[in-house]
Amino acid sequence: MKQALEKIELAAKEQLAKVADSAELEALRVRFLGKKGELTAILKGMAGLSAEERPVIGQLANKVRADIEEAVESRAAELKDAAIRLRLKEEKLDVTLPGKAPKLGRLHPMDTVMREIEDIFIGMGFDIVSGPEVEYDYYNFEALNIPRDHPARDTQDTFYISDNILLRTQTSSVQIHVMENRKPPIRIVSPGRVYRSDAVDATHSPIFHQIEGLVVDKGITMANLVGTLDMLMKRLYGDECKIRLRPHHFPFTEPSAEVDIVCFNCGGKGCPMCKGEGYVELLGAGMVHPKVLKQCGIDPEEYSGFAFGLGLERIVMGKYGINDLRLLYENDLRFLEQF
Ligand code: PHE
């Protein structure tokens, strides 16, 4: 019996050393020390011992129990320690490692220039307003003095949603909304997308951007228009920048002009970029047609105004020397990262 007890103690200690986690440890404890455990089984046999042997074996049995208990406890402490050490190792943070720099985005060149232009106009006392891209025929054409059978509609062939509703072909539609809702003095610019049924090439896209300008007040003349555009272009391209007005026709302005600036590439001598002209066309403009004012409830005898519409893409391309419009829409990072 003495040998059996010693064997149990040895076996318990041996197996304790191999235990890897607290669940295994608990199983082992039950196996050796539990009510149905190996030690209990041996103690049950003590009834058959002689009176001299009984206290000796009893004492030994108690010592074995205490030894195993102590071994279990110390193994438990070891396991707990190891677990903590493992967690610390896993959660170790080297604060001296170089950081991962987040990829910073940047503004698209279209947005940069759009904001620049908005800032220039805000500086001149204009409000920025926006208008709907899905528009009634009335605002895009009819109220701008372009009736159903007018040939000007052909050059702005668009996407119709119904007979009466379309994707706007020009931001000039915003002129009408503004004049319906505000009383002069009016000074607004309105940037936004416009749509035309054009095939894509280096200078055309079915979706592009315009910035509309409208000023209505007492005594507004062509001189105010020229002064405003001259200021805009000088702020955008530098003080040497010169503009030129050519007579033109728009149904909703009278007189009308197309406005060119001296070619940013050759300075007016003529080069491939300006097709030998020395100038590049940038926008359409004119004095708001009296019919349009009247249509919006503004008395043309009392008020006059000017309007202009400039193509944002053209300005961006000129400013950065971009020769293909498609680059602006493709979102190729190799292109965009240059700005
Ligand atoms: N809306 C005209 C266009 O798209 C430009 C324009 C705007 C002309 C305002 C005159 C006045 O061509």
Side-chain angles (χ1 to χ4, degrees):
M1 207 158 188
K2 191 174 162 216
Q3 272 166 8
L5 282 170
E6 277 163 359
K7 225 169 104 186
I8 286 180
E9 179 163 0
L10 208 69
K13 285 190 174 161
E14 224 175 73
Q15 291 190 36
L16 270 174
K18 291 187 209 147
V19 156
D21 59 42
S22 55
E24 276 178 36
L25 183 68
E26 176 60 12
L28 210 67
R29 192 188 62 78
V30 171
R31 209 184 103 198
F32 286 103
L33 305 175
K35 277 203 181 95
K36 289 174 187 161
E38 294 184 17
L39 196 63
T40 317
I42 289 187
L43 293 178
K44 272 184 189 150
M46 274 176 63
L49 291 176
S50 66
E52 302 89 73
E53 271 181 312
R54 210 175 288 160
V56 181
I57 294 296
Q59 218 174 12
L60 181 65
N62 281 338
K63 186 179 167 300
V64 167
R65 170 179 288 276
D67 279 357
I68 296 178
E69 270 170 0
E70 198 191 301
V72 167
E73 257 163 51
S74 86
R75 185 70 188 132
E78 264 172 45
L79 285 177
K80 210 171 133 192
D81 236 39
I84 290 174
R85 249 177 286 126
L86 184 72
R87 225 180 114 189
L88 283 175
K89 201 171 139 195
E90 276 172 359
E91 291 177 6
K92 190 162 106 176
L93 190 70
D94 185 351
V95 293
T96 65
L97 278 177
K100 284 186 201 142
K103 258 201 151 159
L104 277 190
R106 64 190 84 194
L107 286 178
H108 191 282
M110 295 277 285
D111 288 309
T112 308
V113 175
M114 180 98 97
R115 290 183 189 193
E116 202 179 321
I117 293 173
E118 285 179 5
D119 274 355
I120 294 169
F121 279 110
I122 288 169
M124 293 194 275
F126 285 64
D127 286 346
I128 314 289
V129 304
S130 63
E133 291 174 25
V134 179
E135 189 55 282
Y136 287 111
D137 184 282
Y138 177 80
Y139 290 94
N140 195 80
F141 290 130
E142 204 76 40
L144 288 164
N145 200 24
I146 313 173
R148 286 251 170 221
D149 54 0
H150 197 288
R153 288 201 178 205
D154 297 344
T155 61
Q156 297 194 2
D157 197 11
T158 187
F159 304 98
Y160 282 88
I161 287 162
S162 71
D163 265 0
N164 200 23
I165 298 173
L166 45 83
L167 297 182
R168 68 178 178 189
T169 61
Q170 48 186 352
T171 46
S172 297
S173 53
V174 186
Q175 289 184 31
I176 307 301
H177 288 290
V178 169
M179 286 192 279
E180 280 181 350
N181 292 310
R182 295 192 186 193
K183 289 193 166 24
I186 292 169
R187 243 182 277 150
I188 61 101
V189 286
S190 183
R193 272 192 284 264
V194 298
Y195 302 82
R196 290 187 196 178
S197 177
D198 280 332
V200 178
D201 65 25
T203 53
H204 291 88
S205 159
I207 306 175
F208 59 103
H209 298 75
Q210 290 188 331
I211 301 178
E212 193 77 10
L214 174 70
V215 170
V216 181
D217 202 352
K218 287 179 177 153
I220 296 293
T221 71
M222 201 88 179
N224 300 117
L225 169 64
V226 175
T228 304
L229 292 177
D230 189 58
M231 169 76 107
L232 170 70
M233 294 309 167
K234 286 196 158 66
R235 294 285 302 277
L236 267 181
Y237 292 109
D239 281 344
E240 328 70 59
C241 180
K242 280 203 193 71
I243 63 170
R244 160 178 101 170
L245 274 73
R246 277 180 292 112
H248 197 73
H249 172 261
F250 295 105
F252 41 93
T253 46
E254 180 60 35
S256 303
E258 277 197 319
V259 182
D260 305 338
I261 68 163
V262 168
C263 176
F264 4 74
N265 195 40
C266 65
K269 285 193 220 68
C271 71
M273 197 159 150
C274 58
K275 300 194 185 88
E277 278 279 316
Y279 283 84
V280 188
E281 182 199 322
L282 273 192
L283 61 121
M287 300 305 292
V288 182
H289 198 295
K291 266 173 94 170
V292 175
L293 290 173
K294 215 184 280 172
Q295 182 83 13
C296 298
I298 294 173
D299 181 1
E301 298 296 330
E302 197 180 351
Y303 292 102
S304 57
F306 69 76
F308 59 86
L310 52 100
L312 183 62
E313 278 78 356
R314 235 180 235 180
I315 294 190
V316 174
M317 288 168 77
K319 207 172 152 77
Y320 295 114
I322 298 164
N323 57 14
D324 194 324
L325 182 80
R326 286 167 286 201
L327 290 166
L328 291 172
Y329 305 129
E330 283 166 351
N331 281 340
D332 187 331
L333 285 180
R334 288 169 304 177
F335 171 75
L336 293 175
E337 274 168 0
Q338 298 175 47
F339 302 97

